[in-house]
Amino acid sequence: MALDGIKGWMAGTLAVIGVALGAASPQASTRLSLKSASALVLDQSTGQALVEKQAAAVVPIASLTKLMTAMVLLDAHLDPAELLTITSDDKDSLRHSRSRLPVGTRLPREQALLLALLASENRAAHALGRTYPGGLASFVQAMNAKARELGLSGAHFEDPSGLSSGNVATAWDLARIIQAAYRYPEIRDFSTRPETTLQAGRRNIQFPNTNALVRNPRWNIGLSKTGYIEEAGRCLVMQAMLANRPVLVILLDSWGKYTRLGDANRIKQWLETRSGSKG
């Protein structure tokens, strides 16, 4: 598809989503009980809201941020094979979260992106921003410029990993982010692989996908990202085929470790029951 065609497709689809924000009246959503504090399910083709719960609230989005990180990185067309080195600067000094990437690890930029999307590796995401032309500050500026380009009304970014609670958005903003990110084959591929292996010296380190649903044969997922910090709760966004149609699923601030997965399965069953189909 030509560049002008892609831009036209994006503009048209995002416009549909924007109309849905003001005019959507979710059908029978009261019969669906969700534990997530904020939720939104959209028909990807039409922008129709199928489920909506506190979808306009501006909330921290944790590692869902990494979808924006990936788009900004890919837009820059940097050498995917260039070797990056994980340094002490990439360690989480804010929350002191664990990482399976030791300081000194060398890996191609493309593999760092894979680990950021699939395993939500914070050091990998930070290294991607740190090695961006102009450094981390320029990368964050590019993230916020991308947010403006996509017309995100409530989104703001402070770091590429999502560790900062200042990375915020609404569920509607995230729908636009997913729709935009879905246009990148690398994001679709990397975010939905069940697992990957990194060879670090003589060691092989296994990294499973943080979304267990990508390993579930009952799900057909085209894009996926999880997130968690205390302020954001457990978060999950996906593009998936449900009831024989493509949908965008946004679940924010789930209170339990498995609640976001439970909500996703409840949405799947609810849509299939309403349509009388499975898939």
Side-chain angles (χ1 to χ4, degrees):
M1 184 182 293
L3 180 60
D4 288 344
I6 292 174
K7 289 181 177 179
W9 181 92
M10 280 294 299
T13 306
L14 293 178
V16 169
I17 293 178
V19 169
L21 172 58
S25 33
Q27 300 175 13
S29 60
T30 56
R31 294 197 294 268
L32 177 64
S33 178
L34 299 178
K35 306 300 182 183
S36 301
S38 180
L40 182 64
V41 180
L42 293 181
D43 183 305
Q44 186 182 13
S45 299
T46 67
Q48 178 191 6
L50 307 174
V51 176
E52 183 176 359
K53 178 183 179 183
Q54 300 295 321
V58 178
V59 295
I61 60 172
S63 284
L64 304 184
T65 294
K66 293 182 176 78
L67 290 175
M68 180 64 78
T69 297
M71 286 193 287
V72 169
L73 179 75
L74 292 168
D75 286 349
H77 302 290
L78 303 177
D79 182 1
E82 181 181 354
L83 289 177
L84 309 184
T85 301
I86 302 299
T87 72
S88 57
D89 289 339
D90 300 318
K91 296 172 68 174
D92 173 15
S93 59
L94 179 63
R95 301 178 187 273
H96 307 288
S97 58
R98 290 184 176 185
S99 171
R100 303 187 68 196
L101 277 181
V103 171
T105 300
R106 301 188 75 203
L107 71 171
R109 178 177 281 111
E110 184 176 55
Q111 191 166 31
L113 178 60
L114 170 62
L115 293 177
L117 290 172
L118 180 151
S120 209
E121 256 295 339
N122 293 319
R123 290 183 184 180
H126 191 274
L128 292 171
R130 175 176 55 79
T131 57
Y132 184 81
L136 193 62
S138 293
F139 190 84
V140 173
Q141 287 178 0
M143 293 175 75
N144 285 301
K146 184 74 171 181
R148 291 190 296 272
E149 175 190 325
L150 295 176
L152 309 185
S153 60
H156 176 75
F157 298 93
E158 294 185 352
D159 80 278
S161 63
L163 289 168
S164 171
S165 60
N167 288 17
V168 297
T170 69
W172 283 99
D173 290 330
L174 285 162
R176 289 175 179 258
I177 289 173
I178 300 169
Q179 188 73 299
Y182 193 74
R183 301 299 302 170
Y184 296 75
E186 299 92 339
I187 298 178
R188 297 198 306 269
D189 176 15
F190 292 176
S191 72
T192 57
R193 292 189 190 182
E195 62 182 1
T196 193
T197 301
L198 171 70
Q199 186 172 352
R202 296 182 178 180
R203 298 174 54 210
N204 286 328
I205 307 175
Q206 298 286 334
F207 292 86
N209 197 304
T210 53
N211 179 9
L213 295 179
V214 302
R215 296 184 288 276
N216 187 328
R218 296 180 57 248
W219 279 83
N220 180 4
I221 298 172
L223 180 149
S224 167
K225 190 69 199 78
T226 63
Y228 173 76
I229 56 173
E230 184 177 355
E231 296 90 334
R234 306 277 176 177
C235 302
L236 172 64
V237 299
M238 295 185 292
Q239 187 280 348
M241 289 295 296
L242 298 180
N244 296 319
R245 63 174 160 182
V247 299
L248 309 181
V249 178
I250 298 99
L251 298 168
L252 307 177
D253 194 9
S254 295
W255 54 266
K257 185 176 181 179
Y258 301 106
T259 303
R260 59 189 171 184
L261 302 183
D263 276 353
N265 280 311
R266 279 184 282 273
I267 289 168
K268 184 177 187 295
Q269 182 179 16
W270 181 76
L271 288 174
E272 290 172 354
T273 299
R274 291 173 72 234
S275 70
S277 63
K278 292 187 177 180

